[in-house]
Amino acid sequence: MNNLIRTYNQNRRKFFVIILVIVAAIILLQLLNYLTKKNAENKESSNTTLESEYGKNYEAVTGEKKDEVTYRTQTNVIKSFLDACINSDTESAYNLISNDCKNALYPSINDFIDGYYTINFRDKKISYNYQAWSGDTYRIELRENILSTGLYSDSAYKEDYYTIKGNKVNISGYVKKEEINKEIQKQNITINVENLEYYKDYLICNISVFNQTDNDILLDSLESPESIVLIDDNAVSFTFYNDAIDESEIRVYKGQLTQISLKFNAVYRENLDIRQIQFNNIIKNYEKYQSNTLEESDITNIEVNI
C-alpha cells in the first residue's frame, strides 16, 4: 500500500493529465455524435421542405418557371396526399386521387392500400422530395427516413410522377384521360376509339370492336409491334406492345362487342397529339387462321382518325 501511495505521489501530475485526456475524449465523442445527428436531421428536413429550395419551381423538362400561385396550389395538393400517407390516413389520401386515376388503377380503397400505400408507406418512416417536371406533372422521390435507417444514400429512394388535376392528384405515373369516341365501320367490323389514357412512359388506347361478320375475327396476329400503330400530328408512329396482350383478349366472336385495351410505346409530353390509329393486320376468319389456311382476302386493315 505504501508503495502504491508513493507511486501516486511521484506521478500525480501524469495521472491528472491522463484523466483530463480521457474526459476530453468523451466530450469530443459526444460532440461528434451530436453534430452527426444534426446533419442527418438537416438532410431529412431538406427532403420535406422543397418549396423553400431555390429552383424547384422550374420545370425539369423545359426549364420554364412555373407560375408561383399555380406552383403553391399544386404542391399543397401533393403535400396533403403524401402527409396523409405518412400519417396512415389512407381514406384521406384515397379521396385526394382523381376519379380517372382511381378507375384506371385503384377502383377501391383496398386496391389503393394493397397496391400503393402498403408498398411505399406501411411500417416505414418516409420523407419526400418533389420537383416540377412538365406542365402539371411533378417528379416525386420517396425516401426512408434517415433517422430510422441510420443511412443516407442518393440512390436509395423510390421514384413516382404525380400529375395535378384541379384539387386532385394522379399517381403511379398516370397523367390524364382523353375522351375520343371516334368510330369507323369497314367490312362489317366497327371499331370505336373510346379514350386515350396517358401515362408518363406509355399510352393506353381503349377501344371497342363490334363484329358483324359471319366469322370470329382476330384484331391482330401479335407477330409484330408495328401492325398496330398510333400516328401523331407530326406523322410519328408509336408501336404497340404486342407482348403485353394475349390472343384471347383480341379475339372478337361473331355478333359480339368486345372491349380491348392496347398499350403503346408513347412517352408522354405536353404537346403530344395523337391523330390516328392503324390496324394493319386484322384477320377476318379466325378458324382459317388456326388451320393455317388464310388467304390474302382474309386479311384487312382499318384506320380510325382521332
Side-chain angles (χ1 to χ4, degrees):
M1 176 65 72
N2 291 332
N3 291 335
L4 183 61
I5 294 173
R6 188 182 311 111
T7 299
Y8 170 76
N9 290 330
Q10 292 174 347
N11 298 278
R12 181 181 303 174
R13 184 179 182 83
K14 292 182 180 179
F15 281 128
F16 281 135
V17 171
I18 292 172
I19 292 172
L20 288 174
V21 169
I22 293 174
V23 171
I26 292 173
I27 293 173
L28 180 60
L29 285 174
Q30 290 179 337
L31 178 61
L32 288 174
N33 287 334
Y34 171 78
L35 292 175
T36 300
K37 182 177 179 180
K38 290 297 291 182
N39 185 48
E41 288 176 349
N42 289 336
K43 286 182 178 179
E44 178 194 1
S45 176
S46 69
N47 279 339
T48 57
T49 57
L50 271 175
E51 65 275 12
S52 65
E53 296 182 9
Y54 175 77
K56 298 303 180 180
N57 57 342
Y58 285 82
E59 294 184 2
V61 174
T62 65
E64 295 180 1
K65 183 178 180 180
K66 294 186 70 67
D67 173 76
E68 188 67 24
V69 174
T70 300
Y71 176 75
R72 294 290 178 184
T73 301
Q74 292 182 338
T75 53
N76 282 340
V77 175
I78 291 173
K79 288 189 289 185
S80 295
F81 173 78
L82 289 170
D83 289 344
C85 289
I86 290 171
N87 294 324
S88 301
D89 187 356
T90 54
E91 183 175 355
S92 294
Y94 187 69
N95 289 336
L96 284 169
I97 301 174
S98 76
N99 288 332
D100 286 343
C101 185
K102 287 179 182 176
N103 293 333
L105 300 174
Y106 309 109
S108 72
I109 189 171
N110 288 331
D111 293 322
F112 166 70
I113 291 173
D114 295 338
Y116 196 85
Y117 167 76
T118 297
I119 295 171
N120 295 303
F121 296 96
R122 175 169 285 172
D123 299 326
K124 300 175 184 177
K125 294 183 178 180
I126 297 295
S127 57
Y128 56 80
N129 196 344
Y130 51 81
Q131 165 73 52
W133 189 253
S134 177
D136 298 323
T137 300
Y138 292 75
R139 179 178 178 271
I140 308 298
E141 291 180 9
L142 301 177
R143 191 188 305 272
E144 285 203 59
N145 189 299
I146 301 164
L147 295 181
S148 66
T149 63
L151 300 172
Y152 182 88
S153 172
D154 287 338
S155 61
Y157 65 85
K158 292 183 179 180
E159 182 181 85
D160 198 356
Y161 289 82
Y162 292 179
T163 299
I164 305 303
K165 183 178 179 181
N167 61 350
K168 300 290 184 178
V169 61
N170 295 330
I171 64 175
S172 299
Y174 186 91
V175 178
K176 67 176 182 178
K177 179 179 181 180
E178 180 183 356
E179 297 293 342
I180 304 296
N181 291 318
K182 296 288 182 68
E183 73 175 31
I184 192 169
Q185 184 184 70
K186 181 179 178 180
Q187 299 178 28
N188 293 321
I189 300 171
T190 302
I191 297 180
N192 181 289
V193 179
E194 297 180 349
N195 57 68
L196 300 175
E197 292 188 292
Y198 295 84
Y199 292 76
K200 177 185 174 292
D201 295 322
Y202 59 92
L203 185 154
I204 299 292
C205 180
N206 296 305
I207 67 172
S208 62
V209 182
F210 186 27
N211 178 13
Q212 294 174 284
T213 73
D214 295 327
N215 306 293
D216 294 352
I217 66 172
L218 196 63
L219 197 62
D220 191 81
S221 65
L222 301 180
E223 295 174 357
S224 170
E226 298 179 355
S227 54
I228 303 178
V229 294
L230 292 174
I231 310 294
D232 73 0
D233 58 334
N234 294 313
V236 176
S237 298
F238 302 94
T239 57
F240 86 118
Y241 288 98
N242 60 322
D243 57 351
I245 194 167
D246 188 76
E247 182 180 290
S248 62
E249 298 177 74
I250 57 173
R251 178 183 178 182
V252 185
Y253 293 90
K254 61 182 179 180
Q256 291 195 6
L257 178 71
T258 300
Q259 306 288 331
I260 300 173
S261 294
L262 300 170
K263 183 178 180 180
F264 289 86
N265 183 22
V267 176
Y268 180 75
R269 64 178 188 273
E270 280 295 303
N271 60 348
L272 180 60
D273 185 6
I274 301 300
R275 294 295 182 85
Q276 188 181 75
I277 183 170
Q278 298 178 354
F279 301 89
N280 297 312
N281 191 33
I282 299 176
I283 298 168
K284 297 189 295 179
N285 192 318
Y286 184 72
E287 184 177 338
K288 291 174 71 174
Y289 168 76
Q290 282 191 309
S291 62
N292 200 27
T293 59
L294 281 177
E295 300 175 14
E296 186 175 344
S297 60
D298 294 319
I299 299 175
T300 190
N301 68 293
I302 295 179
E303 299 177 353
V304 183
N305 292 324
I306 298 174

